[in-house]
Amino acid sequence: MINRQLAIIKRGAVDLISEEELRRKLEKSIKTKQPLKIKAGFDPTAPDLHLGHTVLLRKLRQFQDLGHEVYFLIGDFTGQIGDPSGRNEVRKQLSKREVWQNAQTYKKQVAKVLDMRRLKIVFNSRWLEKMSGVEILRLTTHASVSQMLAREDFKNRYSRGENISILEFIYPLMQGYDSVVLKADIEVGGTDQIFNLLVGREFQKDFNQPQQVVLTMPLLEGTDGTQKMSKSFGNYIGINEPAKDIFGKIMSIPDELMLKYYELLTDEDLSKVKETHPKEAKVNLAKIIVSRYHSPAAAQKEADEFTRVFAQKEAPGDMPEYKTDGKKNIIVILTESRLAASGNEARRLIKQGAVSFNNVKIDREDFVPAGSGILKTGSRRFLKITK
């Protein structure tokens, strides 16, 4: 029983501090028939969740299925401070209203992964807003400046002479105190959260509580294959996006990233995935993801459409339409139709040979389509032009 739980909990994980402590907690849980308290914090700094967020959500669902008690902590208070993890500059602070609006969208989206009947959603403003100035100052006695500057992102910014606000030092202390309030047995977070999670362990020790086990999950790279998935990098796959977009974006990820997506986003047997042809494996991955966030029928429809468009070299059955007066050049059409975010991006696409009209590559910025036809950018974006 314990070995089975350990195998499920450890799948895809990076840091486990420590496995021996986790084993003891699991043994006690089974003996006393008391579920462990699992904590994961999410600061609602943006309204939409993407597949990178679901790496943690899926791990929480595994804990739920193992019978443990999951606390989905929405950092509506700490979100106004801004988590400095992985930041090279001071994070823009959000208003209480912005954070609250984003939090409401989170509650709806996590229902696509977690069992809401067994989920405990808590907001850390419930206890942090009630703390007096003196009580908050007392939290600072549990950490030193030298400890904070040992943190990699702070250390790098300090060595470059860049600003670090005192407020940023407060953030991990607040997150650590959350663990004390919830009496967490295990805290789950991304690898960039390791410092904050360890602060939680130290806080619990100082408050005479059993220390939480720290479990970190890897950061999922986005569609570019290099940067972590993020809206700010434009490489994200949102779980609320249309099925067509999710399928297409999955198919665009580099082949070398595919196994990691399988490991972190599915329950598939990785040994069987390795034996499958990369193209077939990627189509199957896209179908799994679309099925989860839309439906199996939507997944099959997009798979059939993908085969028709890319394998059989046909244009998609449904594509956006753009009406022109026959005078607008290709730069204007690309930007007005939003196939390109800006004129500079449109020029870059043309220079890269990524734009074609009726299967003929466009190499001039002053090109004006003659008559109706199909405009294509990249490998999967189409626009029907009509006069």
Side-chain angles (χ1 to χ4, degrees):
M1 172 71 80
I2 290 178
N3 288 338
R4 174 179 169 273
Q5 287 201 46
L6 279 172
I8 293 172
I9 292 169
K10 289 167 60 178
R11 172 168 168 149
V14 177
D15 300 296
L16 176 55
I17 306 171
S18 70
E19 183 170 340
E20 184 54 39
E21 289 181 54
L22 176 58
R23 182 179 289 275
R24 288 199 298 268
K25 286 179 182 288
L26 290 172
E27 288 174 347
K28 182 178 179 181
S29 172
I30 292 171
K31 185 177 180 179
T32 61
K33 297 184 179 179
Q34 289 293 318
L36 297 178
K37 289 183 177 181
I38 316 301
K39 170 201 170 192
F42 294 80
D43 281 353
T45 52
D48 299 317
L49 296 178
H50 52 64
L51 291 185
H53 295 116
T54 68
V55 173
L56 288 186
L57 295 178
R58 280 180 46 78
K59 184 58 64 178
L60 296 180
R61 179 56 189 259
Q62 290 172 351
F63 276 112
Q64 282 187 316
D65 293 341
L66 291 173
H68 299 296
E69 201 170 60
V70 170
Y71 285 79
F72 185 89
L73 187 147
I74 295 180
D76 59 327
F77 186 91
T78 46
Q80 295 175 69
I81 299 174
D83 184 4
S85 298
R87 303 293 293 188
N88 294 321
E89 57 187 10
V90 177
R91 185 187 289 272
K92 176 183 176 292
Q93 292 180 43
L94 299 179
S95 69
K96 187 173 183 178
R97 178 180 175 80
E98 288 174 313
V99 170
W100 179 253
Q101 288 175 336
N102 292 343
Q104 299 315 302
T105 69
Y106 276 28
K107 291 170 67 174
K108 294 177 182 178
Q109 293 174 76
V110 298
K112 295 185 176 184
V113 182
L114 300 174
D115 184 344
M116 302 303 286
R117 297 167 301 176
R118 295 182 288 164
L119 185 67
K120 295 185 181 297
I121 298 177
V122 291
F123 294 81
N124 64 9
S125 62
R126 197 181 77 194
W127 52 85
L128 293 179
E129 277 189 348
K130 295 177 183 177
M131 296 180 72
S132 68
V134 171
E135 288 174 318
I136 292 176
L137 289 174
R138 281 178 184 156
L139 290 183
T140 66
T141 65
H142 295 276
S144 66
V145 172
S146 60
Q147 285 176 306
M148 290 296 172
L149 290 179
R151 177 178 174 150
E152 186 175 1
D153 40 16
F154 285 156
K155 181 171 62 178
N156 292 339
R157 285 162 60 185
Y158 183 73
S159 65
R160 293 193 296 264
E162 297 172 357
N163 285 337
I164 304 172
S165 72
I166 299 299
L167 189 63
E168 291 180 278
F169 282 176
I170 299 293
Y171 184 94
L173 306 184
M174 295 288 192
Q175 184 172 330
Y177 188 65
D178 290 342
S179 293
V180 173
V181 173
L182 295 178
K183 297 181 179 179
D185 291 304
I186 302 172
E187 182 166 14
V188 185
T191 52
D192 59 342
Q193 288 284 308
I194 184 69
F195 183 90
N196 296 348
L197 274 54
L198 291 174
V199 169
R201 273 177 64 88
E202 293 306 308
F203 263 47
Q204 287 178 315
K205 181 180 178 181
D206 290 349
F207 281 83
N208 297 314
Q209 290 184 10
Q211 290 179 288
Q212 65 186 15
V213 166
V214 166
L215 182 75
T216 68
M217 299 299 294
L219 303 178
L220 187 69
E221 291 85 357
T223 53
D224 58 358
T226 54
Q227 300 270 26
K228 77 170 185 177
M229 188 174 290
S230 169
K231 291 199 75 172
S232 60
F233 294 139
N235 63 355
Y236 68 99
I237 305 174
I239 65 175
N240 268 353
E241 289 190 72
K244 183 182 186 69
D245 291 346
I246 293 178
F247 196 98
K249 287 184 177 182
I250 292 289
M251 294 304 298
S252 73
I253 66 171
D255 287 351
E256 56 269 23
L257 195 58
M258 186 165 51
L259 195 64
K260 185 174 184 179
Y261 270 53
Y262 263 106
E263 181 180 24
L264 299 178
L265 302 176
T266 80
D267 296 318
E268 298 295 298
D269 185 331
L270 299 182
S271 61
K272 291 183 179 179
V273 174
K274 292 176 183 177
E275 296 172 358
T276 308
H277 188 279
K279 183 179 178 181
E280 181 184 344
K282 194 178 287 186
V283 169
N284 186 50
L285 174 64
K287 288 174 68 174
I288 291 171
I289 302 301
V290 173
S291 294
R292 178 174 299 142
Y293 299 111
H294 285 278
S295 70
Q300 189 58 54
K301 176 187 175 184
E302 296 308 325
D304 293 341
E305 181 77 350
F306 182 86
T307 299
R308 193 169 72 82
V309 173
F310 295 97
Q312 299 173 10
K313 306 297 182 183
E314 297 181 22
D318 58 333
M319 68 182 97
E321 186 174 339
Y322 178 89
K323 292 186 179 181
T324 180
D325 56 8
K327 298 178 181 180
K328 294 180 179 179
N329 66 34
I330 190 63
I331 301 295
V332 174
I333 293 174
L334 286 171
T335 53
E336 287 189 351
S337 66
R338 297 186 179 179
L339 285 183
S342 64
N344 286 335
E345 184 184 355
R347 294 182 184 90
R348 179 177 57 79
L349 290 169
I350 292 170
K351 188 175 182 180
Q352 292 175 345
V355 182
S356 64
F357 181 66
N358 290 336
N359 294 320
V360 177
K361 283 189 178 181
I362 297 171
D363 56 8
R364 302 188 344 259
E365 296 179 11
D366 61 352
F367 173 82
V368 177
S372 301
I374 305 298
L375 182 67
K376 179 183 176 185
T377 61
S379 61
R380 60 185 179 86
R381 302 195 70 186
F382 294 83
L383 182 70
K384 184 177 181 181
I385 294 180
T386 58
K387 293 189 68 174

